[in-house]
Amino acid sequence: VVTVHDAYCKSLAQRVSLVLADGVHSCKVIGLGLQGFGESGKLNELYKKHGMDVDAIVQNVLNEVVSWEALLESIINRN
């Protein structure tokens, strides 16, 4: 699950994790959002700076997929 929150990045991700855990669902939750205090500027520039633009979201998801594929491959190769 990937959350993108136009505020502190961990708050929405933590709430989603709690809801999933309450329903006995186990999955990775990636929280994207602000890492520090807010600031003024053009929205598209601020989203890019804080990794919340489309390219950054796609890259984060792809990085997770590659990480999982590498983990699965290492487990398979051990057997």
Side-chain angles (χ1 to χ4, degrees), residues 4 32 44 47-48 51-61:
V4 181
L32 304 177
N44 61 333
Y47 279 1
K48 184 174 183 94
M52 295 171 23
D53 62 328
V54 171
D55 292 336
I57 294 168
V58 169
Q59 190 59 53
N60 273 285
V61 171

Side-chain angles (χ1 to χ4, degrees), residues 54-74:
V54 171
D55 292 336
I57 294 168
V58 169
Q59 190 59 53
N60 273 285
V61 171
L62 290 175
N63 289 344
E64 286 300 317
V65 169
V66 168
S67 295
W68 277 103
E69 286 177 349
L71 175 64
L72 289 173
E73 186 175 321
S74 70

Side-chain angles (χ1 to χ4, degrees), residues 3 5-11 30-39 46-47 49-52 60:
T3 64
H5 193 192
D6 191 357
Y8 179 62
C9 65
K10 301 297 180 190
S11 59
I30 304 166
L32 304 177
L34 300 178
Q35 302 292 324
F37 293 105
E39 54 194 286
L46 292 171
Y47 279 1
K49 177 181 179 182
H50 291 280
M52 295 171 23
N60 273 285

